Structures are given as structure tokens and as C-alpha cells.
Amino acid sequence: MQSKQPTVIATWPFGKTAAQSALKALLAGKSPLDAAVDGAQAVEDDPTVHSVGFSGIADALGIVTLDACVMDGKTLDCGSVAGLEDIRHPARLALTVARKTPHVILVGDGARDFALQNGFRPENLSTEASVKEWTDTRPKPPKPMGIPGGADNHDTVTVLALNSSGNLGGCCSTSGLSHKLHGRVGDSPIIGSGLYVDDDAGAAGATGVGEEIIRICGSFRIIESMRRGLSPQQACEEAVKRLHAVATKRGKHAARAAFLALAPDGRIGAAASPDTHFDFAVATPGKIEIRRAIEIPA
Ligand code: SD4
């Protein structure tokens, strides 16, 4: 088999941190899945990012709850945690769910207990800056939940990695929509919505308003389109168009969402709904760049 160029793509400008760490891990011989988790973890640890991991923006009750999932394109093994409190590395915990349990999803206290049993350390995930941002962006007068898709209440790190053998791995990690209802789960820990990876077709991931992404099974949809022969770019554009069509059918304004895809041969796709300003990072050996996704008119 012809050797592929190791490639990592990751959502948003902070995806640069993720892509750099993941590429380093890939080049050191880690699997694409382990590399993707390393990449996400670098963003989870960054206190300046208020939408992922440590220092994430809290929910409507002021509690930070994290969602994440992982998927291995070779085996289709997957793991996920949702509504996780006090643990800063949900992506690694999702990987532990995949590797150490017969299950796919653990939620809430069960996920937290599992983390503690597996050596994860509990800590307060809020920082002075994240509490200030929570207060400043809090809907006034208070509403049960922030406006989905508002400029400041999103951003998930989704990392897709390809190694030289053509194996793919992916990971998605977020604190979800800020000011979400306590207990709300978005697309990010839902296999097929926030992430889907299959070496036979490709890897895809999402960011944006989870409710809309779940409604169209966004990432699975992209991978199945690629399996039928669409390019990663065509498949991402089709998913955004579908999301808009569903919103129109429901008589709603299309919420912001964006998709990324990586083919087993290294081709990349990205598309977003209007005004999303969706930037993503692309890393290959010796090169890292930020690209802007095409926005599809609603
Ligand atoms: C969610 N999709 O919880 C996440 C949030 C996000 O860009 O990615 N925003 O719905």
C-alpha cells in the first residue's frame, strides 16, 4: 500500500495547538486515535480556552460539565462521556471507556466515578476568568439557556488524524453550549453526530449547535456520503445544506454549525453555515496552517 502523508485537522484557531500535539504524537509512532486524544488534551489543558476542558464555561447552574468522545477507524471502537464534572480530561476518559469497558457511553456521576477509579484526579474546573466570562455572557434577564449559536457560546475541539498506513482516529471534546440547561448533552459525545471514523470511508467531526447536528446525524452522514463516493468537501457541504433544509422545514432559522472531514487518502473537506467564521488547523510534517471553511448560504 502506498504510504500516506500523516495529517491532522482540528477545529477552530485553537485547533493549531491540538493539531501540533497530535501530529507530534503521530510522528512518534502513536496510533491516530491516541494522537487525536493527545491533541484534544492540549486544548483541554489551556486555561485561555473557555469552551473545552479546564476553564470551560459553566451551565445554567454554574456547574462545568464536559462532553467528549473518541473513535478508532481501524476497529470502530468508540467511547464517550457526557455531563462529566470535576475531571479536566474527558477525551482521555472517553478513550478509557473504549479500552477498559464493554460500553460506549458513561454519563454524569457514573462517568466521574469511573474516572476516579481509573486514576483521574478531581479538581475544580472553574477559573477566575471562566467565572467572569460566565457572568458577563449570562443571559440577562436569566433564561434557562443561552441563545444557541451566539458568537461567544460555542467551540468544540474536534481532532481528526491520519497516519502513514492510512489509519484514522478522531476525538471531540467540549464544555458544550455555555449556560446550557444542567443535564443537557450536545452532539460532541454522540457517536455519529459530533464524530464518526471508519478507515474504509474517512473521519468526520462537527462543531456548532449540537441540537441541529444531532438532528441530521451530521458526522455519520458525511462518512456515509464519502463511502458512496462524494469527496470530503462535497460531503461536508451536503451536510450543511441538509442542516439548513431541516431548519427550513421546521420553520426555524438555521443555527450555526460546521463540519470537517478527512479522507483515508489525506483529502480534506470543511463547510459551515453562514456567519460561522469557521477556521480550522491543518498539520502535515513541517507545515501547519489555519484555513477558513467555505460558508454555505442558508
Ligand atoms: C455542543 N457542539 O455542545 C457543541 C458546542 C460547539 O461550537 O461545538 N460549539 O452543542
Side-chain angles (χ1 to χ4, degrees):
M1 201 211 303
Q2 210 193 338
S3 140
K4 310 285 185 284
Q5 162 150 271
T7 304
V8 179
I9 58 177
T11 50
W12 302 110
F14 57 55
K16 204 168 176 179
T17 307
Q20 245 156 358
S21 299
L23 186 70
K24 194 169 159 210
L26 262 188
L27 297 179
K30 286 198 182 182
S31 75
L33 174 55
D34 286 284
V37 171
D38 279 8
Q41 186 162 313
V43 180
E44 289 167 349
D45 279 334
D46 184 343
T48 67
V49 176
H50 293 312
S51 51
V52 178
F54 180 67
S55 192
I57 298 285
D59 64 17
L61 296 186
I63 301 169
V64 180
T65 62
L66 305 179
D67 296 339
C69 75
V70 300
M71 189 161 185
D72 185 341
K74 193 173 182 180
T75 58
L76 273 67
D77 284 340
C78 41
S80 155
V81 292
L84 176 70
E85 295 178 30
D86 304 332
I87 305 293
R88 74 155 74 189
H89 294 146
R92 191 157 304 280
L93 187 61
L95 183 64
T96 312
V97 171
R99 295 217 166 126
K100 286 204 179 171
T101 80
H103 308 307
V104 171
I105 307 178
L106 292 182
V107 303
D109 288 348
R112 186 181 182 280
D113 290 348
F114 178 73
L116 300 181
Q117 286 155 12
N118 283 277
F120 289 75
R121 200 165 51 86
E123 63 185 308
N124 176 5
L125 300 180
S126 292
T127 59
E128 211 174 299
S130 70
V131 171
K132 182 176 183 316
E133 187 157 334
W134 182 83
T135 309
D136 291 350
T137 58
R138 203 172 178 197
K140 298 171 193 76
K143 285 191 206 143
M145 180 177 150
I147 300 161
D152 297 322
N153 75 352
H154 60 75
D155 293 4
T156 287
V157 67
T158 298
V159 189
L160 308 176
L162 169 72
N163 70 8
S164 56
S165 310
N167 300 125
L168 291 156
C171 168
C172 195
S173 178
T174 188
S175 52
L177 296 182
S178 25
H179 309 286
K180 62 192 176 185
L181 281 182
H182 185 65
R184 178 265 188 191
V185 173
D187 61 302
S188 305
I190 308 294
I191 300 296
S193 290
L195 181 75
Y196 200 78
V197 187
D198 179 347
D199 280 5
D200 291 342
T207 180
V209 178
E211 284 72 5
E212 305 310 314
I213 296 163
I214 290 171
R215 220 182 296 288
I216 63 157
C217 297
S219 295
F220 182 69
R221 177 180 194 89
I222 290 169
I223 294 310
E224 293 310 300
S225 297
M226 288 166 66
R227 204 188 298 280
R228 287 196 306 275
L230 262 58
S231 70
Q233 184 59 36
Q234 288 168 328
C236 287
E237 291 183 15
E238 193 279 337
V240 176
K241 284 180 192 156
R242 180 70 192 149
L243 190 134
H244 293 163
V246 168
T248 304
K249 182 175 167 191
R250 286 163 40 78
K252 309 266 186 200
H253 203 73
R256 283 183 200 161
F259 297 101
L260 269 188
L262 181 57
D265 61 7
R267 282 171 304 147
I268 290 168
S273 44
D275 302 324
T276 308
H277 313 303
F278 176 52
D279 290 334
F280 61 101
V282 179
T284 49
K287 190 171 174 193
I288 180 148
E289 60 183 355
I290 294 287
R291 295 189 196 164
R292 169 65 53 96
I294 290 171
E295 294 189 354
I296 309 296

